[in-house]
Amino acid sequence: MTSSFNVQSAAGYEQLMGRWSRQLAPPFIDFAGVADGERVLDVGCGTGSLTFALPHAADISEITAIDFSPVFVEATIKANSDPRIEVQQADACALPFADASFDRAMALLVLHFVPESGKAVAEMRRVVRPGGVVAAAVWDHFGGMPGMRMVLDVAAMLDGNAEQVRSRYCFQPMMRPGEMMQSFVSNGLADVRQTSLLIRMDYQSFADFWEPIAAGEGPLGKYVGSLDAGMRTKLDAAIRAAYEAGQPDGPRSFAAVAWACRGIVPS
Protein backbone atom coordinates (compact mmCIF):
# COMPACT_ATOMS: atom_id res chain seq x y z
CA MET A 1 0.00 0.00 0.00
CA THR A 2 1.10 3.54 -0.64
CA SER A 3 -0.16 6.64 1.12
CA SER A 4 -0.91 9.94 -0.55
CA PHE A 5 -0.12 11.87 2.64
CA ASN A 6 3.15 13.78 2.44
CA VAL A 7 5.16 13.52 5.69
CA GLN A 8 8.16 15.73 6.40
CA SER A 9 8.37 15.49 10.20
CA ALA A 10 6.23 14.52 13.16
CA ALA A 11 6.49 18.05 14.56
CA GLY A 12 5.34 19.55 11.27
CA TYR A 13 2.41 17.15 11.13
CA GLU A 14 1.45 18.11 14.68
CA GLN A 15 1.25 21.78 13.72
CA LEU A 16 -0.59 21.01 10.48
CA MET A 17 -3.06 18.36 11.61
CA GLY A 18 -2.20 16.48 14.80
CA ARG A 19 -3.62 19.15 17.08
CA TRP A 20 -6.92 18.98 15.20
CA SER A 21 -7.11 15.18 15.08
CA ARG A 22 -6.70 15.22 18.88
CA GLN A 23 -9.83 17.38 19.05
CA LEU A 24 -11.67 15.03 16.70
CA ALA A 25 -10.71 11.83 18.53
CA PRO A 26 -13.16 12.14 21.50
CA PRO A 27 -16.32 12.72 19.39
CA PHE A 28 -15.19 9.97 17.03
CA ILE A 29 -14.81 7.57 19.98
CA ASP A 30 -18.25 8.60 21.25
CA PHE A 31 -19.73 7.72 17.86
CA ALA A 32 -17.74 4.51 17.34
CA GLY A 33 -18.15 3.30 20.92
CA VAL A 34 -15.62 1.57 23.15
CA ALA A 35 -15.97 -0.61 26.24
CA ASP A 36 -13.89 -1.78 29.19
CA GLY A 37 -11.70 -4.79 28.53
CA GLU A 38 -11.69 -4.48 24.74
CA ARG A 39 -8.82 -5.09 22.37
CA VAL A 40 -8.72 -2.16 19.94
CA LEU A 41 -6.80 -1.70 16.69
CA ASP A 42 -5.93 1.86 15.64
CA VAL A 43 -5.30 1.78 11.88
CA GLY A 44 -3.12 4.67 10.75
CA CYS A 45 -2.26 6.07 14.16
CA GLY A 46 -0.24 9.07 12.98
CA THR A 47 1.27 10.69 16.05
CA GLY A 48 -1.22 8.96 18.36
CA SER A 49 -4.28 11.24 18.52
CA LEU A 50 -6.73 8.34 18.71
CA THR A 51 -4.31 5.90 20.33
CA PHE A 52 -3.78 8.07 23.39
CA ALA A 53 -7.44 9.18 23.63
CA LEU A 54 -8.80 5.63 23.85
CA PRO A 55 -7.59 4.85 27.41
CA HIS A 56 -9.39 7.97 28.64
CA ALA A 57 -12.69 6.72 27.20
CA ALA A 58 -12.67 3.20 28.72
CA ASP A 59 -10.49 0.74 30.61
CA ILE A 60 -9.08 -0.81 27.44
CA SER A 61 -7.38 -4.20 27.70
CA GLU A 62 -4.91 -3.52 24.90
CA ILE A 63 -4.43 -1.11 22.01
CA THR A 64 -2.46 -2.00 18.91
CA ALA A 65 -1.57 1.04 16.80
CA ILE A 66 -0.19 0.73 13.28
CA ASP A 67 0.94 3.22 10.68
CA PHE A 68 2.54 2.99 7.25
CA SER A 69 4.94 5.86 7.97
CA PRO A 70 8.06 5.08 10.03
CA VAL A 71 8.14 8.77 11.00
CA PHE A 72 4.78 8.42 12.74
CA VAL A 73 5.59 5.03 14.26
CA GLU A 74 8.79 6.38 15.81
CA ALA A 75 7.05 9.47 17.18
CA THR A 76 4.17 7.49 18.71
CA ILE A 77 6.50 4.95 20.31
CA LYS A 78 8.53 7.80 21.80
CA ALA A 79 5.41 9.48 23.20
CA ASN A 80 3.93 6.29 24.68
CA SER A 81 4.15 5.41 28.38
CA ASP A 82 1.15 3.04 28.59
CA PRO A 83 2.09 -0.69 28.69
CA ARG A 84 -1.27 -1.58 27.13
CA ILE A 85 -0.29 0.22 23.92
CA GLU A 86 1.83 -1.46 21.23
CA VAL A 87 2.89 0.47 18.14
CA GLN A 88 4.23 -1.03 14.92
CA GLN A 89 4.68 -0.28 11.25
CA ALA A 90 2.13 -2.05 9.06
CA ASP A 91 0.06 -1.75 5.90
CA ALA A 92 -3.65 -0.98 6.33
CA CYS A 93 -4.37 -3.07 3.23
CA ALA A 94 -2.50 -6.13 4.56
CA LEU A 95 -2.88 -6.10 8.34
CA PRO A 96 -0.44 -8.55 10.00
CA PHE A 97 -3.03 -9.98 12.39
CA ALA A 98 -5.12 -13.14 12.49
CA ASP A 99 -8.84 -13.12 11.78
CA ALA A 100 -11.05 -11.93 14.68
CA SER A 101 -8.09 -10.64 16.72
CA PHE A 102 -9.78 -7.45 17.96
CA ASP A 103 -13.05 -6.21 19.40
CA ARG A 104 -12.85 -2.97 17.41
CA ALA A 105 -10.84 -1.56 14.53
CA MET A 106 -10.83 2.21 14.15
CA ALA A 107 -9.27 4.54 11.59
CA LEU A 108 -9.19 8.28 12.25
CA LEU A 109 -8.39 10.53 9.26
CA VAL A 110 -6.68 7.72 7.37
CA LEU A 111 -8.82 6.05 4.69
CA HIS A 112 -8.88 9.07 2.35
CA PHE A 113 -5.09 8.77 2.07
CA VAL A 114 -5.23 5.05 1.21
CA PRO A 115 -5.60 4.58 -2.57
CA GLU A 116 -7.14 1.12 -2.06
CA SER A 117 -9.38 2.30 0.78
CA GLY A 118 -11.99 -0.42 0.23
CA LYS A 119 -9.30 -3.03 0.75
CA ALA A 120 -8.40 -1.38 4.06
CA VAL A 121 -12.05 -1.59 5.16
CA ALA A 122 -12.09 -5.28 4.24
CA GLU A 123 -8.94 -5.87 6.29
CA MET A 124 -10.39 -4.05 9.30
CA ARG A 125 -13.50 -6.23 9.06
CA ARG A 126 -11.36 -9.38 8.80
CA VAL A 127 -9.40 -8.76 12.00
CA VAL A 128 -12.47 -7.86 14.11
CA ARG A 129 -14.45 -10.61 15.84
CA PRO A 130 -18.11 -11.30 14.99
CA GLY A 131 -20.21 -8.74 16.82
CA GLY A 132 -17.30 -6.31 16.95
CA VAL A 133 -17.18 -2.83 15.45
CA VAL A 134 -15.34 -1.26 12.51
CA ALA A 135 -15.33 2.55 12.45
CA ALA A 136 -13.60 5.26 10.44
CA ALA A 137 -13.64 9.01 9.90
CA VAL A 138 -12.30 11.11 7.01
CA TRP A 139 -12.25 14.85 6.45
CA ASP A 140 -14.89 16.25 4.11
CA HIS A 141 -12.39 18.01 1.84
CA PHE A 142 -15.06 19.08 -0.65
CA GLY A 143 -17.42 20.98 1.62
CA GLY A 144 -16.17 20.75 5.17
CA MET A 145 -12.65 22.17 5.21
CA PRO A 146 -12.96 25.87 4.32
CA GLY A 147 -9.49 26.78 5.57
CA MET A 148 -7.80 24.28 3.27
CA ARG A 149 -10.20 25.03 0.40
CA MET A 150 -9.23 28.69 0.76
CA VAL A 151 -5.64 27.74 -0.07
CA LEU A 152 -6.58 25.63 -3.08
CA ASP A 153 -9.16 28.04 -4.47
CA VAL A 154 -6.66 30.90 -4.32
CA ALA A 155 -3.96 28.69 -5.86
CA ALA A 156 -6.27 27.67 -8.73
CA MET A 157 -6.84 31.34 -9.57
CA LEU A 158 -3.09 31.96 -9.79
CA ASP A 159 -1.85 28.67 -11.22
CA GLY A 160 -3.65 26.54 -13.81
CA ASN A 161 -1.82 23.46 -12.56
CA ALA A 162 -3.51 23.85 -9.18
CA GLU A 163 -6.93 23.00 -10.64
CA GLN A 164 -5.94 19.34 -10.93
CA VAL A 165 -4.46 19.41 -7.41
CA ARG A 166 -7.73 20.84 -6.10
CA SER A 167 -9.81 18.19 -7.84
CA ARG A 168 -7.68 15.38 -6.38
CA TYR A 169 -7.84 16.93 -2.91
CA CYS A 170 -11.61 17.43 -2.92
CA PHE A 171 -12.43 13.93 -4.16
CA GLN A 172 -10.03 11.62 -2.39
CA PRO A 173 -11.32 8.13 -1.51
CA MET A 174 -14.31 7.90 0.85
CA MET A 175 -15.13 11.63 0.66
CA ARG A 176 -18.21 11.75 -1.53
CA PRO A 177 -21.47 11.69 0.45
CA GLY A 178 -22.37 8.09 1.26
CA GLU A 179 -19.19 6.65 -0.28
CA MET A 180 -17.71 5.34 2.95
CA MET A 181 -21.07 3.96 4.06
CA GLN A 182 -21.41 2.08 0.77
CA SER A 183 -17.90 0.66 1.17
CA PHE A 184 -18.77 -0.60 4.65
CA VAL A 185 -21.93 -2.28 3.32
CA SER A 186 -20.21 -3.81 0.29
CA ASN A 187 -17.52 -5.24 2.57
CA GLY A 188 -20.11 -7.13 4.57
CA LEU A 189 -20.59 -4.93 7.61
CA ALA A 190 -24.06 -4.76 9.17
CA ASP A 191 -26.07 -2.01 10.88
CA VAL A 192 -23.92 0.60 9.13
CA ARG A 193 -24.42 4.17 10.32
CA GLN A 194 -22.92 7.44 9.13
CA THR A 195 -22.71 10.89 10.69
CA SER A 196 -20.69 14.08 10.46
CA LEU A 197 -18.42 15.43 13.19
CA LEU A 198 -17.60 19.12 13.62
CA ILE A 199 -14.64 20.79 15.30
CA ARG A 200 -13.03 24.19 14.87
CA MET A 201 -9.46 24.86 13.81
CA ASP A 202 -8.24 27.88 15.77
CA TYR A 203 -5.10 29.65 14.60
CA GLN A 204 -3.20 32.34 16.48
CA SER A 205 -1.82 34.03 13.38
CA PHE A 206 -1.17 33.60 9.67
CA ALA A 207 2.20 32.05 10.50
CA ASP A 208 0.49 29.48 12.72
CA PHE A 209 -1.77 28.56 9.79
CA TRP A 210 0.75 28.70 6.95
CA GLU A 211 4.11 27.51 8.35
CA PRO A 212 3.56 23.72 8.14
CA ILE A 213 2.08 23.97 4.63
CA ALA A 214 4.91 26.25 3.54
CA ALA A 215 7.37 23.69 4.95
CA GLY A 216 5.91 20.98 2.71
CA GLU A 217 3.65 19.06 5.11
CA GLY A 218 0.60 17.22 3.82
CA PRO A 219 -0.91 17.23 0.32
CA LEU A 220 -1.12 21.03 0.17
CA GLY A 221 2.47 21.34 1.33
CA LYS A 222 3.58 18.97 -1.40
CA TYR A 223 1.97 21.23 -4.01
CA VAL A 224 3.40 24.42 -2.50
CA GLY A 225 6.87 22.86 -2.41
CA SER A 226 6.68 22.17 -6.14
CA LEU A 227 6.28 25.84 -7.11
CA ASP A 228 9.00 28.03 -8.55
CA ALA A 229 10.14 31.06 -6.56
CA GLY A 230 7.99 33.57 -8.44
CA MET A 231 4.75 31.64 -8.13
CA ARG A 232 5.55 30.80 -4.53
CA THR A 233 5.91 34.50 -3.66
CA LYS A 234 2.59 35.30 -5.34
CA LEU A 235 0.82 32.45 -3.58
CA ASP A 236 2.22 33.32 -0.15
CA ALA A 237 0.98 36.91 -0.51
CA ALA A 238 -2.44 35.88 -1.84
CA ILE A 239 -3.02 33.32 0.92
CA ARG A 240 -2.02 35.85 3.55
CA ALA A 241 -4.52 38.32 2.10
CA ALA A 242 -7.26 35.67 2.12
CA TYR A 243 -6.46 34.68 5.71
CA GLU A 244 -6.41 38.27 6.96
CA ALA A 245 -9.52 39.27 4.92
CA GLY A 246 -8.75 42.98 5.21
CA GLN A 247 -8.13 42.92 8.96
CA PRO A 248 -4.86 42.87 10.91
CA ASP A 249 -3.13 39.52 11.30
CA GLY A 250 -4.19 37.56 14.35
CA PRO A 251 -6.46 34.72 15.49
CA ARG A 252 -8.82 33.08 13.02
CA SER A 253 -11.15 30.10 13.39
CA PHE A 254 -12.26 27.72 10.64
CA ALA A 255 -14.90 25.03 10.95
CA ALA A 256 -13.78 21.51 10.03
CA VAL A 257 -16.17 18.65 9.26
CA ALA A 258 -15.41 14.94 9.04
CA TRP A 259 -17.56 12.09 7.76
CA ALA A 260 -17.72 9.19 10.25
CA CYS A 261 -19.02 5.67 9.67
CA ARG A 262 -19.39 2.55 11.81
CA GLY A 263 -20.62 -0.99 11.21
CA ILE A 264 -20.82 -4.34 12.98
CA VAL A 265 -19.11 -7.55 11.88
CA PRO A 266 -21.95 -10.08 11.42
CA SER A 267 -22.04 -13.11 13.69
Short mmCIF file of all heavy atoms in Angstrom, two decimals, residues 20 23 139 144-151 198-206 208-210 239-245 250-257:
data_model
loop_
_atom_site.label_atom_id
_atom_site.label_comp_id
_atom_site.label_asym_id
_atom_site.label_seq_id
_atom_site.Cartn_x
_atom_site.Cartn_y
_atom_site.Cartn_z
N TRP A 20 -5.49 19.03 15.53
CA TRP A 20 -6.92 18.98 15.20
C TRP A 20 -7.45 17.54 15.29
O TRP A 20 -8.61 17.34 15.67
CB TRP A 20 -7.16 19.57 13.82
CG TRP A 20 -6.47 20.88 13.62
CD1 TRP A 20 -5.63 21.23 12.61
CD2 TRP A 20 -6.52 22.03 14.49
NE1 TRP A 20 -5.16 22.51 12.78
CE2 TRP A 20 -5.69 23.02 13.93
CE3 TRP A 20 -7.19 22.31 15.68
CZ2 TRP A 20 -5.51 24.26 14.53
CZ3 TRP A 20 -7.01 23.55 16.27
CH2 TRP A 20 -6.19 24.51 15.70
N GLN A 23 -8.50 16.86 18.74
CA GLN A 23 -9.83 17.38 19.05
C GLN A 23 -10.92 16.45 18.50
O GLN A 23 -11.99 16.30 19.11
CB GLN A 23 -10.02 18.77 18.43
CG GLN A 23 -9.41 19.91 19.19
CD GLN A 23 -9.91 21.25 18.66
OE1 GLN A 23 -11.05 21.37 18.24
NE2 GLN A 23 -9.04 22.24 18.68
N TRP A 139 -11.85 13.46 6.65
CA TRP A 139 -12.25 14.85 6.45
C TRP A 139 -13.14 14.97 5.21
O TRP A 139 -12.94 14.27 4.22
CB TRP A 139 -11.04 15.74 6.25
CG TRP A 139 -10.19 16.01 7.45
CD1 TRP A 139 -8.85 15.80 7.56
CD2 TRP A 139 -10.60 16.57 8.71
NE1 TRP A 139 -8.41 16.18 8.80
CE2 TRP A 139 -9.45 16.65 9.52
CE3 TRP A 139 -11.83 16.99 9.22
CZ2 TRP A 139 -9.49 17.15 10.82
CZ3 TRP A 139 -11.88 17.49 10.52
CH2 TRP A 139 -10.73 17.57 11.30
N GLY A 144 -16.29 20.57 3.74
CA GLY A 144 -16.17 20.75 5.17
C GLY A 144 -14.84 21.25 5.68
O GLY A 144 -14.60 21.25 6.89
N MET A 145 -13.96 21.69 4.79
CA MET A 145 -12.65 22.17 5.21
C MET A 145 -12.37 23.54 4.59
O MET A 145 -11.51 23.69 3.71
CB MET A 145 -11.57 21.17 4.78
CG MET A 145 -11.68 19.81 5.43
SD MET A 145 -11.16 19.83 7.16
CE MET A 145 -9.39 19.85 6.97
N PRO A 146 -13.09 24.58 5.00
CA PRO A 146 -12.96 25.87 4.32
C PRO A 146 -11.58 26.49 4.40
O PRO A 146 -11.16 27.20 3.47
CB PRO A 146 -14.00 26.75 5.04
CG PRO A 146 -14.25 26.07 6.34
CD PRO A 146 -14.09 24.61 6.07
N GLY A 147 -10.84 26.23 5.48
CA GLY A 147 -9.49 26.78 5.57
C GLY A 147 -8.57 26.22 4.50
O GLY A 147 -7.82 26.95 3.84
N MET A 148 -8.64 24.91 4.29
CA MET A 148 -7.80 24.28 3.27
C MET A 148 -8.31 24.61 1.86
O MET A 148 -7.52 24.81 0.94
CB MET A 148 -7.77 22.77 3.49
CG MET A 148 -7.23 22.33 4.85
SD MET A 148 -5.53 22.88 5.21
CE MET A 148 -5.83 24.17 6.43
N ARG A 149 -9.65 24.65 1.70
CA ARG A 149 -10.20 25.03 0.40
C ARG A 149 -9.79 26.46 0.04
O ARG A 149 -9.59 26.77 -1.15
CB ARG A 149 -11.73 24.90 0.42
CG ARG A 149 -12.26 23.49 0.17
CD ARG A 149 -11.92 22.97 -1.23
NE ARG A 149 -12.42 23.83 -2.28
CZ ARG A 149 -13.65 23.74 -2.81
NH1 ARG A 149 -14.51 22.86 -2.34
NH2 ARG A 149 -14.00 24.55 -3.79
N MET A 150 -9.67 27.32 1.02
CA MET A 150 -9.23 28.69 0.76
C MET A 150 -7.88 28.68 0.05
O MET A 150 -7.67 29.40 -0.93
CB MET A 150 -9.14 29.46 2.07
CG MET A 150 -8.60 30.86 1.95
SD MET A 150 -8.50 31.68 3.57
CE MET A 150 -7.08 30.82 4.29
N VAL A 151 -6.97 27.83 0.54
CA VAL A 151 -5.64 27.74 -0.07
C VAL A 151 -5.74 27.27 -1.51
O VAL A 151 -5.16 27.85 -2.42
CB VAL A 151 -4.74 26.79 0.74
CG1 VAL A 151 -3.41 26.57 0.04
CG2 VAL A 151 -4.52 27.32 2.15
N LEU A 198 -18.06 17.74 13.81
CA LEU A 198 -17.60 19.12 13.62
C LEU A 198 -16.65 19.53 14.74
O LEU A 198 -16.93 19.33 15.92
CB LEU A 198 -18.80 20.07 13.61
CG LEU A 198 -18.50 21.57 13.66
CD1 LEU A 198 -17.85 22.03 12.37
CD2 LEU A 198 -19.78 22.37 13.93
N ILE A 199 -15.52 20.10 14.35
CA ILE A 199 -14.64 20.79 15.30
C ILE A 199 -14.30 22.15 14.70
O ILE A 199 -14.73 22.47 13.59
CB ILE A 199 -13.34 20.00 15.58
CG1 ILE A 199 -12.47 19.91 14.31
CG2 ILE A 199 -13.63 18.62 16.13
CD1 ILE A 199 -11.05 19.46 14.58
N ARG A 200 -13.53 22.93 15.42
CA ARG A 200 -13.03 24.19 14.87
C ARG A 200 -11.51 24.18 14.92
O ARG A 200 -10.91 23.71 15.89
CB ARG A 200 -13.58 25.39 15.63
CG ARG A 200 -15.09 25.55 15.52
CD ARG A 200 -15.52 26.97 15.85
NE ARG A 200 -15.11 27.91 14.82
CZ ARG A 200 -15.83 28.20 13.72
NH1 ARG A 200 -16.98 27.60 13.51
NH2 ARG A 200 -15.40 29.09 12.84
N MET A 201 -10.90 24.70 13.87
CA MET A 201 -9.46 24.86 13.81
C MET A 201 -9.14 26.31 14.14
O MET A 201 -9.48 27.22 13.37
CB MET A 201 -8.94 24.49 12.42
CG MET A 201 -9.10 23.03 12.06
SD MET A 201 -8.50 22.70 10.37
CE MET A 201 -8.47 20.91 10.37
N ASP A 202 -8.53 26.53 15.29
CA ASP A 202 -8.24 27.88 15.77
C ASP A 202 -6.76 28.19 15.60
O ASP A 202 -5.90 27.48 16.16
CB ASP A 202 -8.63 28.00 17.25
CG ASP A 202 -10.11 27.78 17.47
OD1 ASP A 202 -10.91 28.40 16.75
OD2 ASP A 202 -10.48 26.98 18.35
N TYR A 203 -6.48 29.24 14.87
CA TYR A 203 -5.10 29.65 14.60
C TYR A 203 -4.81 30.97 15.29
O TYR A 203 -5.67 31.87 15.33
CB TYR A 203 -4.86 29.78 13.09
CG TYR A 203 -5.06 28.49 12.35
CD1 TYR A 203 -6.28 28.20 11.74
CD2 TYR A 203 -4.05 27.54 12.29
CE1 TYR A 203 -6.47 27.00 11.06
CE2 TYR A 203 -4.24 26.34 11.62
CZ TYR A 203 -5.45 26.08 11.01
OH TYR A 203 -5.64 24.89 10.36
N GLN A 204 -3.59 31.11 15.80
CA GLN A 204 -3.20 32.34 16.48
C GLN A 204 -2.78 33.45 15.53
O GLN A 204 -2.86 34.63 15.87
CB GLN A 204 -2.05 32.04 17.46
CG GLN A 204 -2.46 31.11 18.59
CD GLN A 204 -3.68 31.61 19.33
OE1 GLN A 204 -3.69 32.75 19.81
NE2 GLN A 204 -4.71 30.78 19.42
N SER A 205 -2.33 33.05 14.33
CA SER A 205 -1.82 34.03 13.38
C SER A 205 -1.70 33.37 12.01
O SER A 205 -1.86 32.14 11.88
CB SER A 205 -0.43 34.52 13.81
OG SER A 205 0.50 33.43 13.78
N PHE A 206 -1.40 34.17 11.00
CA PHE A 206 -1.17 33.60 9.67
C PHE A 206 0.00 32.62 9.69
O PHE A 206 -0.06 31.56 9.07
CB PHE A 206 -0.91 34.71 8.65
CG PHE A 206 -0.58 34.18 7.29
CD1 PHE A 206 -1.53 33.51 6.54
CD2 PHE A 206 0.70 34.33 6.76
CE1 PHE A 206 -1.22 32.99 5.28
CE2 PHE A 206 1.02 33.82 5.50
CZ PHE A 206 0.06 33.16 4.76
N ASP A 208 0.96 30.72 12.10
CA ASP A 208 0.49 29.48 12.72
C ASP A 208 -0.26 28.62 11.70
O ASP A 208 -0.13 27.39 11.69
CB ASP A 208 -0.42 29.83 13.90
CG ASP A 208 -0.81 28.62 14.74
OD1 ASP A 208 -0.02 27.66 14.80
OD2 ASP A 208 -1.90 28.65 15.35
N PHE A 209 -1.03 29.26 10.84
CA PHE A 209 -1.77 28.56 9.79
C PHE A 209 -0.86 28.06 8.67
O PHE A 209 -0.96 26.92 8.21
CB PHE A 209 -2.83 29.51 9.22
CG PHE A 209 -3.55 28.99 8.00
CD1 PHE A 209 -4.60 28.09 8.13
CD2 PHE A 209 -3.18 29.41 6.73
CE1 PHE A 209 -5.27 27.62 7.01
CE2 PHE A 209 -3.84 28.95 5.60
CZ PHE A 209 -4.89 28.05 5.73
N TRP A 210 0.05 28.91 8.21
CA TRP A 210 0.75 28.70 6.95
C TRP A 210 2.08 27.95 7.09
O TRP A 210 2.51 27.26 6.16
CB TRP A 210 0.97 30.04 6.26
CG TRP A 210 1.48 29.97 4.86
CD1 TRP A 210 2.62 30.55 4.38
CD2 TRP A 210 0.87 29.32 3.74
NE1 TRP A 210 2.77 30.31 3.04
CE2 TRP A 210 1.69 29.54 2.61
CE3 TRP A 210 -0.28 28.56 3.57
CZ2 TRP A 210 1.40 29.04 1.34
CZ3 TRP A 210 -0.58 28.05 2.31
CH2 TRP A 210 0.26 28.29 1.23
N ILE A 239 -2.45 34.07 -0.19
CA ILE A 239 -3.02 33.32 0.92
C ILE A 239 -3.05 34.16 2.18
O ILE A 239 -4.01 34.13 2.95
CB ILE A 239 -2.23 32.01 1.16
CG1 ILE A 239 -2.30 31.10 -0.07
CG2 ILE A 239 -2.76 31.28 2.40
CD1 ILE A 239 -3.68 30.64 -0.42
N ARG A 240 -2.02 34.94 2.39
CA ARG A 240 -2.02 35.85 3.55
C ARG A 240 -3.19 36.81 3.45
O ARG A 240 -3.91 37.05 4.45
CB ARG A 240 -0.71 36.62 3.65
CG ARG A 240 -0.71 37.67 4.76
CD ARG A 240 0.57 38.47 4.81
NE ARG A 240 1.65 37.73 5.44
CZ ARG A 240 1.86 37.65 6.76
NH1 ARG A 240 1.03 38.27 7.60
NH2 ARG A 240 2.87 36.99 7.22
N ALA A 241 -3.42 37.38 2.27
CA ALA A 241 -4.52 38.32 2.10
C ALA A 241 -5.87 37.64 2.36
O ALA A 241 -6.77 38.23 2.97
CB ALA A 241 -4.48 38.92 0.69
N ALA A 242 -6.01 36.40 1.90
CA ALA A 242 -7.26 35.67 2.12
C ALA A 242 -7.45 35.37 3.60
O ALA A 242 -8.56 35.49 4.13
CB ALA A 242 -7.25 34.38 1.30
N TYR A 243 -6.38 34.97 4.27
CA TYR A 243 -6.46 34.68 5.71
C TYR A 243 -6.84 35.93 6.50
O TYR A 243 -7.72 35.90 7.37
CB TYR A 243 -5.12 34.13 6.19
CG TYR A 243 -5.05 33.88 7.69
CD1 TYR A 243 -5.39 32.65 8.22
CD2 TYR A 243 -4.65 34.89 8.57
CE1 TYR A 243 -5.34 32.41 9.59
CE2 TYR A 243 -4.59 34.67 9.94
CZ TYR A 243 -4.94 33.43 10.45
OH TYR A 243 -4.88 33.22 11.81
N GLU A 244 -6.18 37.04 6.20
CA GLU A 244 -6.41 38.27 6.96
C GLU A 244 -7.75 38.90 6.62
O GLU A 244 -8.37 39.56 7.46
CB GLU A 244 -5.26 39.25 6.72
CG GLU A 244 -3.94 38.75 7.31
CD GLU A 244 -2.76 39.68 7.03
OE1 GLU A 244 -2.94 40.63 6.23
OE2 GLU A 244 -1.68 39.45 7.60
N ALA A 245 -8.21 38.77 5.36
CA ALA A 245 -9.52 39.27 4.92
C ALA A 245 -9.71 40.76 5.24
O ALA A 245 -10.78 41.19 5.67
CB ALA A 245 -10.65 38.45 5.54
N GLY A 250 -3.85 37.97 12.99
CA GLY A 250 -4.19 37.56 14.35
C GLY A 250 -5.01 36.30 14.33
O GLY A 250 -5.00 35.56 13.34
N PRO A 251 -5.71 35.98 15.42
CA PRO A 251 -6.46 34.72 15.49
C PRO A 251 -7.56 34.62 14.44
O PRO A 251 -8.23 35.60 14.13
CB PRO A 251 -7.05 34.77 16.90
CG PRO A 251 -6.18 35.71 17.67
CD PRO A 251 -5.75 36.74 16.68
N ARG A 252 -7.72 33.40 13.93
CA ARG A 252 -8.82 33.08 13.02
C ARG A 252 -9.30 31.68 13.38
O ARG A 252 -8.55 30.86 13.91
CB ARG A 252 -8.38 33.10 11.55
CG ARG A 252 -7.83 34.43 11.05
CD ARG A 252 -8.91 35.51 10.94
NE ARG A 252 -8.40 36.69 10.26
CZ ARG A 252 -7.76 37.71 10.84
NH1 ARG A 252 -7.51 37.67 12.16
NH2 ARG A 252 -7.35 38.75 10.14
N SER A 253 -10.56 31.39 13.07
CA SER A 253 -11.15 30.10 13.39
C SER A 253 -11.91 29.58 12.17
O SER A 253 -12.75 30.28 11.62
CB SER A 253 -12.09 30.23 14.58
OG SER A 253 -12.63 28.99 14.95
N PHE A 254 -11.60 28.35 11.78
CA PHE A 254 -12.26 27.72 10.64
C PHE A 254 -12.96 26.45 11.10
O PHE A 254 -12.37 25.63 11.81
CB PHE A 254 -11.24 27.35 9.55
CG PHE A 254 -10.49 28.52 8.97
CD1 PHE A 254 -9.22 28.83 9.40
CD2 PHE A 254 -11.08 29.32 7.99
CE1 PHE A 254 -8.53 29.91 8.88
CE2 PHE A 254 -10.40 30.39 7.45
CZ PHE A 254 -9.12 30.70 7.90
N ALA A 255 -14.21 26.28 10.69
CA ALA A 255 -14.90 25.03 10.95
C ALA A 255 -14.23 23.90 10.18
O ALA A 255 -13.62 24.12 9.13
CB ALA A 255 -16.37 25.13 10.54
N ALA A 256 -14.32 22.69 10.71
CA ALA A 256 -13.78 21.51 10.03
C ALA A 256 -14.73 20.34 10.26
O ALA A 256 -15.06 20.03 11.41
CB ALA A 256 -12.38 21.17 10.54
N VAL A 257 -15.18 19.71 9.18
CA VAL A 257 -16.17 18.65 9.26
C VAL A 257 -15.57 17.35 8.74
O VAL A 257 -14.89 17.33 7.71
CB VAL A 257 -17.42 19.00 8.44
CG1 VAL A 257 -18.43 17.85 8.46
CG2 VAL A 257 -18.07 20.28 8.96
#
